[in-house]
Amino acid sequence: MAEVFHCTTSNGIILSNCWFAFGAYGTKHPLRATKVEEFFIGKVLSVGVLYEAVKLLGAIVVPEFAHTTISRCLGIPEHNVRVITRRVGGGFGGKCFRAMPVATACAVAAYKLQRPVRIYMNRKTDMIIAGGRHPMKLTYSVGFKSDGKITALDILINAGISVDVSPIMPHHIVETLKMYDWGALSFDIKLCKTNHSSKSAMRAPGEVQATFTAEAVIEHVATTLSLDVDSVRSKNLHNFNSLVFFFEGSAGEPVEYTLPSIWNKLAISSSFKERTEKIKQFNTCNKWQKRGISRVPIVHEVALTPTPGKISILSDGSVAVEVGGIELGQGLWTKVKQMAAFALSSIQCDEMGDFLEKIRVIQADTLSLIQRGLTAGSTKSESTCEAIRLCCNMLVERLILINKKLQEQMGSVKWSTLILQIRGNEICTFPEFLKNEDGSALLLDSRRYSWYSPVSIEELQRSLSSVENGNGSRVKVVVGNIGMSYYYKELESFDKYIDLRCVPELSMIRRDDIRMIIGATVRISKAIEALREGNIVWKKIADHMEKVASRFVRNSASLGGNLVMAQRNHFPSDIAIVLLAVGLLVNLMNGLKSEEITMEEFLRMPELDSKSILVSVKIPDWDRIMSISSGTKMKLLFETYRATSRPLGNALPYSNATLMAKISRCASSDGMVVSDYRFAFGAYGTKHTIRATKVEEFLTGKVLSVDVLYEAVKLLRSIVVLDDDTSYPAYRSSLAAGFLFEFFSHLVEGNAESPNGYMNGYSTLMSPARHLDHGKVSTFLTSGKQEVELNKQYHPVDEPIAKSGAVIQASGEAVYVDDIPSPTKCLHGAFIFSTKPLARVKGIELKPKSVADGVNAVISFKDILGENLGIKTGFGPEPLFADDFTRCTGQYIALVVADTQKHADMAADLAVVDYDMENLEPPILSVEEVVRKSSFFEVPSFFQPKQVGDFSKGMAEADHKILSAEIKLGSQYYFYMETQTALAVPDEDNCIVVYSSIQAPEYAQSTISRCLGIPEHNVRVITRRVGGGFGGKAMEAIPVATACALAAYNLRRPVPMHMNRKTDMKTTGGRHPMEVTYGVGFKEDGKMTALHLDILINAGIGVDISPIIPLFMVDAIKKYDWVAFSFDIKVCRTNHSSKSAMRGPGEVQGTFISEAVIEHVASVLSMDADSEYTLPSIWDKLAASSSFKERTDMIKQFNMCNKWQKGGISRVPIVHEVLLQSNPGKVSILGDGSVAVEVGGIELGQGLWTKVKQMTAFSLSAIQCDGMGDFLEKIRIIQADTLSLVQGGLTAGSTTSECSCEAVRICCNILVERLTPIKEKFQEQMGSVEWGILILEATRQAVNLSASSYYVPDSSSMQYLNYGVGVSEVEVNLLTGQTTILQSEIIYDCGQSLNPAVDLGYIEGAFVQGIGFFMLEEYLSNSDGLVIPEGTWTYKIPTDGTIPRQFNVEIMNSGHHKKRLISSKASGEPPLLLAVSVHCATRVAIREARKQLLHWKGLNESDLTFQLEVPATMPIVKKLCGLENVEIYLQSLLS
């Protein structure tokens, strides 16, 4: 601002009072230009004055490169590094090499700290370190004629401190300078190393600078010559000859040189000449504004680079594309989609109008697609499109023939129809972003719940007083809280918890003269240690307590807690029964009061409330008491009993007892007089442990004899009355009688046989002579032997190397789905399932407290966006959720979504479903009702088994006939270690990523796609490993993944679900139960002539894979030569939960049926069942190696000498047919020579990855390079990803390992073929070639180091037979029904085992799982069809106490089989069938028991026919041996 006035002495303007303010540009604050103001004052404005003022003012205001780098920095193979890039938010060259140290630094920190690390660089740091474009200093000299010919040019370039990509700059500069015809061009270009930050490539590196240089030279020449610049440019444009001279091979054809034409075209279209003249005129007329115009050409050379591509057509016809180029915002994905649509459209199908919508380009993954190279240089889009065009052409070539055939049949073919037809003929590291959040919220919210830990009795009393005076809040007293964790799941939280662990008075152990006092909070394991230091009674108590639960539980649970559960929750406590019998005293505290009562009084009193505390217990020292009271005249008899499915504990007994009595010699006879009895029997079917006082009173003062014991047993039977809902009441009552008999039998039988025995030599404690050792059982096999035949021909295949991943699985480091930390804003899901078999669902109500506890939503069929689809197989669909009707128990009705898994589970458990069954047909819950109502599933003709021979003729030729006999087979639960689990994460653009524990990720992808109403290429299902499947993670895992995906998609938040064991057991279906009726004809020598079977298979409500079961059953039954074999097998639809495939589906049942028929025939003929089948070599070999005949004779002798134990032995064969499946594979060799392998098979724990690694090493070793000694370490199998490797199929049927190996072998052969020419050239030059050098050279030569294959088995070899033989020997306790497997031997024909160590584990594991099915696992349901077991508490799988005490396995190498992969054979399912030998041996032992029972009754032993059910549990075995065998035996003695 300034004041001005007119100068009187001149014609000018004078300034006064000036204020000049300028902004803070390069200064701290805005400033006044006071010196300029002073300079102006009084001066007349002129050009000179203004020039000086201006001078004065100026002085005042002044994704593979990262992969390799990370690998080398961390010192790990490249296959251990996975770099994933979805898209880049702009790059311009700055994300080429400058992004690598950022990724590497993150990786180093994460690897060292073992925690996720993320860097998001701020703009300041980015600008300082990124480097940017290369600055240059250019010095040029130029010689020119009037047309401006250049003769020399010298350029210097500043490269910074490190080389980066600077060496490419001279080439780019020179090639760009060639844009003009310089006539002659020479240069001296130097890269300068300075201490500036490294410069890197930036969009058109060197080319921008060169363009500027060329134009500067042109302008300089034009200025020197005073010529128009445009005319100089025009004169120096190339003609085609000069273009070829300068650019040699890249000039192309003359027709391609378009620069002259577009130079002239632009001059015309832009009116260049006219505008030039106008600008000249404008500039003449304007002093302070000037204009300019310029026309410049470019001639820019580019280079195409090798680029990979991959296209996968998914089952719904959508297309997933993976390319080497990265989407930087340049539209690369768009062009790729267009090219894919164009190239695939040549197939000429209908429904391809909007084909672009079916195509999705997926993220870059360095382990999925290798040799991606660098996205730079302007040509990545076209290189990528060309790679995709090649892929599409291959697919079109595969599809075109089938399309033509379909067109001939149908006229026109839709794209989706073509893809369905093709697929119907089919014979990672988890992302770091998922790990960057904390886990779920704490289960106990301190703002809502209170926790007290008193440190003295007084503080405890005050805490209890405050509770008493409280406001009705719920209080729980805890020590280990094991009861809630293992036995009684709490559905709601308490308001206050009082922890007793810090009260010293409750945790002490002390002894006085006649007792041991143990505090209530003492751990059970500590109590056991203390009791072991005492007398014999206490040691026996300790022995019994050691069978309670597991060591972990005993170390956490308290003695007092166990007794309080028995008193309050009617818990069937083993400890309570032992302590009741020894006269335990209990010290209770209620407020300030304290009282001491007997154990009987404690159990009978009203249930303890939270204000009553058990302080301690007092265990009498009967040794001291007896010595004080009676000296040596009276002796003590003490024993504990426990009948359970697991001899080593961790299982509820069917019944237990503790018996104690004082005995003395009768003065008037040689008998024994018993007094002061204490008989305690367990609370199994009664509310509490009970004293058998009437039996005690009856026996008191009596001389023991057979008749007295008989009457006592009968009296006990009348006293032990069980509740109506108790399972096996007759069996449990029989056990009580057996315990009493066993306690006294040695005295009674001893007196009968030796009148003067049994008091002589007795010590203070007399212990019964046990018929079966109820004491400790060894926790390990007595012995075991494994035999294999090794063959070094295919090293390292055939080698018994350790299973891949075994170490990290054992240590807990292996990552399963549930180990992925919960992402941000994560919700958790839990299913509400039906408890009614057929009902109308009117509504679902959650309890108000559940809503308060973090429930976010309830997802039902009404929230489904697409189809209500939970499972889809080739046989039909099943819904995800019940609609208005629930059609079976265990059907999913809704999904509760809450903030933690615990809250979701609690809300689901507390949900109240409003059912209405009015006017509905009764549900079908038995196969008999199915027959009446004709409720069957159809079995497709190609799955219908074929009849064999003429049944009528066979029956006519028979000497003997069994016209009708029945067999019932139960179900079996999968009991994988990891229950059903999934995590769904919503992604951009309507996509979803699902991490699932599943055997068939591809099936889940298809189902999720249809349920959400989105294309399959929007669904990514990832499976790294599965924690056990056995078929239960095939179809049954699909609805779990789908429900999570639906909730995540609708709520736009991640949703994981880890299904609790209870829900898993009640909803997943399990093995198919069935009822069988058979008729058989046979000769006098046992040779079969005909067999007919009527089989009703209970498939449940959904079809699942049930139609394949008949075929598998028949194939298994055909292991024997029946001569004629007919059958009528029906697949029944019932209102039970859908049954699915379980290890050996149908084949296990078929094997049992065939053995049951054989045993029946042998029984009728009074022959050995073993004499029928004569499988070649291994049948006889096992007989010899197991000493089968000798042991059979020894067992007969044993059975004659033992009343209460019987032995049995059985030998069975298997002939098991398997089917090979199609399987994809991909092998990629990375830059450091490490190898990444992807296969369709899923690692379920079966060692599939191990065998694939071995096959990869063997196949690639054919290249015969140096440095391949430890090649297995260079190989890594990566996780399954449905968008990376399609058509993965189903991992099942025992053959997926060998099919995956074959797919990988094909890939390796392709790679070896590509590498061999390079290797041969190297050998000529160097003699030997290192593997790493070979791969570096192949990479340099742009050899494709990734190979994919799709193995389709040849029709002539896609089926083959497996053979095996098993022998098992058992011992049955006739008092309890317990079966002990003494020894099992197996010889299994494994062909040429791919890995004997893995196959041995497979064989042994399958056999043990078969023991579970045939002998232990009861998968029972109630009258509504709802599964009863809810976990390990009531469902018992085999453990170390129930497997064979001696277990010998031999893998036989059966020689060469040309049509199979290195002569290998399957080992997953067939050995399971051999476990039927245990069942058959048990049948032999039971037959001996029944013979003995008939002898005691004085009856004829001719008819010994019976059916032993599956599973042959203790109650079943005891029933067949005689529930009243004790009474019958005693009666036989009396008679």
Side-chain angles (χ1 to χ4, degrees), residues 286-429:
N286 289 273
K287 296 185 182 69
W288 308 113
Q289 286 178 297
K290 300 295 178 183
R291 292 180 179 174
I293 189 169
S294 181
R295 175 175 54 148
V296 298
I298 58 164
V299 178
H300 187 280
E301 185 181 56
V302 294
L304 297 173
T305 56
T307 302
K310 184 172 73 174
I311 286 195
S312 304
I313 303 174
L314 308 178
S315 63
D316 65 346
S318 63
V319 180
V321 182
E322 203 170 349
V323 291
I326 304 297
E327 176 59 54
L328 310 172
Q330 82 278 44
L332 181 146
W333 282 6
T334 308
K335 293 178 180 178
V336 166
K337 286 181 65 173
Q338 289 174 289
M339 177 56 71
F342 163 72
L344 288 176
S345 66
S346 62
I347 198 70
Q348 296 181 341
C349 283
D350 293 347
E351 275 189 349
M352 296 188 78
D354 58 346
F355 200 64
L356 278 172
E357 297 303 313
K358 292 183 178 292
I359 301 169
R360 185 172 199 86
V361 185
I362 62 176
Q363 65 192 24
D365 180 335
T366 56
L367 289 187
S368 178
L369 196 68
I370 64 168
Q371 296 176 281
R372 293 173 174 273
L374 177 65
T375 300
S378 304
T379 61
K380 203 65 175 183
S381 292
E382 59 188 292
S383 299
T384 299
C385 286
E386 180 61 16
I388 290 306
R389 189 184 66 80
L390 294 174
C391 294
C392 291
N393 289 348
M394 285 190 282
L395 291 173
V396 168
E397 187 177 346
R398 296 172 189 169
L399 295 171
I400 196 77
L401 292 176
I402 298 175
N403 186 46
K404 286 181 179 178
K405 288 182 181 179
L406 290 174
Q407 282 180 331
E408 291 172 2
Q409 300 169 9
M410 305 165 60
S412 63
V413 182
K414 293 181 179 179
W415 170 257
S416 57
T417 304
L418 174 63
I419 299 307
L420 284 174
Q421 180 68 23
I422 295 293
R423 297 179 74 92
N425 287 336
E426 287 175 6
I427 306 287
C428 160
T429 303

Side-chain angles (χ1 to χ4, degrees), residues 194-209:
T194 69
N195 289 103
H196 290 277
S197 58
S198 300
K199 309 306 175 187
S200 188
M202 183 173 176
R203 198 171 188 177
E207 297 147 341
V208 172
Q209 297 95 320

